[in-house]
Amino acid sequence: MATGTVKWFNAQKGFGFIAPDEGGGDVFVHISAVERSSLGSIHEGQKLNYELERDARNGKMSAGQLSAG
C-alpha cells in the first residue's frame, strides 16, 4: 500500500490530489473513492494509505482503497 499526503481536495468539485511520500507525480483521488472508504471525508495535509487503481472506463490511474495513514 502506498502512502501520501492530501495536497488538496474539493468535495464540491468531487476530486483532489495526493502527493506520494515516495515522490513522483501527484495521484488523482475521486470523491467516489472517499465515499467507499471508512474515512467519510479527507482534507488538505491528511496522511493517507492508498492503492493505485486503473479506471476501467478511461484507463487512468487514481487512488483507491483509502485508509488513514
Side-chain angles (χ1 to χ4, degrees):
M1 204 167 233
T3 59
T5 303
V6 178
K7 191 169 186 177
W8 69 269
F9 186 79
N10 185 317
Q12 290 180 323
K13 290 184 178 182
F15 69 94
F17 291 91
I18 298 170
D21 287 348
E22 64 272 3
D26 293 342
V27 178
F28 179 82
V29 59
H30 192 266
I31 193 160
S32 63
V34 177
E35 291 170 345
R36 286 191 306 267
S37 75
S38 61
L39 299 173
S41 66
I42 60 175
H43 54 83
E44 186 176 323
Q46 183 177 2
K47 296 289 280 180
L48 294 177
N49 298 316
Y50 62 94
E51 293 285 342
L52 284 176
E53 299 177 343
R54 185 175 304 279
D55 187 299
R57 290 171 289 163
N58 62 23
K60 294 182 180 179
M61 299 300 283
S62 64
Q65 310 283 331
L66 304 176
S67 63

